[in-house]
Every structure is written in C-alpha cells, then in structure tokens.
Amino acid sequence: MPSRAFRIGRSATGLGLFAIKPIKRAAYIATYRGRVITTEEADRREARGARYMFELNSRWTIDGSPRWNVARYINHSCRPNAKPVGRNGGIVIVALRRIEPGEEITYSYGPEYLEYFLDNGGCRCASCRRKAALRRRKRRLERKLAQQRASAKRRRGRAQTARSQSSRLRRNSR
Ligand SMILES: [Zn+2]
C-alpha cells in the first residue's frame, strides 16, 4: 500500500486534510469509508446529529462517521481541488488538479449543502471567506470615498458662500 499523501491538521473551520507531498491531477487521494446503510436510516441518524453521511443514491448512504474514515476530514470548498467519484460501488476522492504540499484538500459538498449554508450564515470555505473579506474591504473603501466626496462638497459649499459674501461686501463698500 502506498504511503499517504496527506495528514490531518488544523484548518480554519476545525480539522482538515492537508497534502504532505505533491498530488497529481486525477490521482487517487482517499476512499470514503464506512458502513453502507439505507438513506432512510441515514436521514434518521442525521436528524439525531450524525454527520459524515455520504449519499450514494436515494437508497444507499455511506455512514462515514468512524474516525478511520480519513476522508471525513476533507472540508467543503466552493473552489475545490478534489472531487468524489463513484468507483466499484463506493466513493473515492481524486484530485481535480495538481495539489501542492501544505495545501488543504477540499471538495464541493454539493448544492444541498450550500442551500443549508444560505440559512446558516453563509459558507465559511477559504474561497468564500476570501470573497467576504474582499467585499468588506470594498465596502470600507466605498464608505471612505463617500466621506471624502461629502467633505469636499462641504468645503466647496463653504468656499462658495465665502466668495458670494465677499462680493456682497465689495458691492456694499462701493
Ligand atoms: Zn464556499
């Protein structure tokens, strides 16, 4: 068995899986392991707070909650570098592109997951946090520019009043 290409480490949102050596595009990374249970049973477990359910289809789901399922540590990203694919009736995670050592391995959890996020304060993946930070920076900049424009207008207004006052004064002194 080849040695692992990753380690479990701290990510921004908890634990994550990180490459420790270069992973080639389309290379196998890990298998999503766990018992196959009915999707009905998975829904019941999820309602009780279970996580790491990987739905194979409307009938069958992998309960990936055991710790020996290292694939459960892979976090969601909206700009993932890996993806789950069906293989031999199970799920394996493969690289979407070359992954460099130190990079966090991520895949997209899919539209249902994002829908859940819409109701729960937004996605916290690296890509979304970067976008949110950019939006905040842009808003700050816009506020600053608006303030500068407003104070420039006030200054212009004051200058105009001063000019008209001084011309009145000149007229009166004639
Ligand atoms: Zn995201």
Side-chain angles (χ1 to χ4, degrees):
M1 196 181 151
S3 63
R4 284 176 177 179
F6 52 78
R7 65 174 178 85
I8 296 161
R10 289 237 154 263
S11 81
T13 50
L15 291 175
L17 220 61
F18 293 83
I20 50 173
K21 45 184 162 188
I23 301 171
K24 283 198 198 104
R25 185 186 133 87
Y28 164 88
I29 298 171
T31 302
Y32 203 94
R33 296 178 199 281
R35 268 185 63 191
V36 176
I37 57 174
T38 62
T39 296
E40 220 182 323
E41 173 60 18
D43 289 344
R44 273 197 293 274
R45 290 184 190 185
E46 242 168 3
R48 290 199 302 261
R51 292 157 72 198
Y52 313 113
M53 299 290 158
F54 199 112
E55 196 175 307
L56 293 168
N57 52 50
S58 56
R59 248 185 108 186
W60 302 107
T61 293
I62 301 172
D63 179 355
S65 45
R67 274 164 199 272
W68 41 262
N69 170 36
V70 288
R72 64 170 249 182
Y73 293 103
I74 302 177
N75 287 312
H76 162 84
S77 173
C78 296
R79 284 191 63 196
N81 53 20
K83 68 168 179 183
V85 295
R87 194 173 285 177
N88 303 327
I91 295 291
V92 296
I93 312 300
V94 297
L96 270 176
R97 59 163 173 80
R98 185 188 158 85
I99 303 172
E100 301 299 337
E103 261 191 88
E104 183 172 1
I105 298 161
T106 55
Y107 66 80
S108 170
Y109 287 5
E112 228 175 273
Y113 186 74
L114 287 172
E115 217 167 273
Y116 161 83
F117 265 136
L118 283 180
D119 305 331
N120 289 277
C123 179
R124 303 242 312 123
C125 84
S127 156
C128 284
R129 275 182 292 120
R130 227 177 0 252
K131 266 188 266 179
L134 271 173
R135 271 198 302 274
R136 276 198 301 276
R137 207 172 310 151
K138 195 163 162 250
R139 268 202 301 273
R140 266 203 304 274
L141 198 70
E142 277 166 358
R143 260 202 308 274
K144 210 170 142 187
L145 284 172
Q147 274 165 5
Q148 279 170 357
R149 271 197 299 272
S151 66
K153 204 172 157 191
R154 269 198 304 277
R155 270 199 305 277
R156 266 201 309 278
R158 272 202 299 274
Q160 225 151 46
T161 330
R163 263 199 306 280
S164 60
Q165 269 170 357
S166 68
S167 64
R168 240 196 330 270
L169 279 172
R170 271 201 302 278
R171 270 201 304 277
N172 290 345
S173 63
R174 263 186 215 140

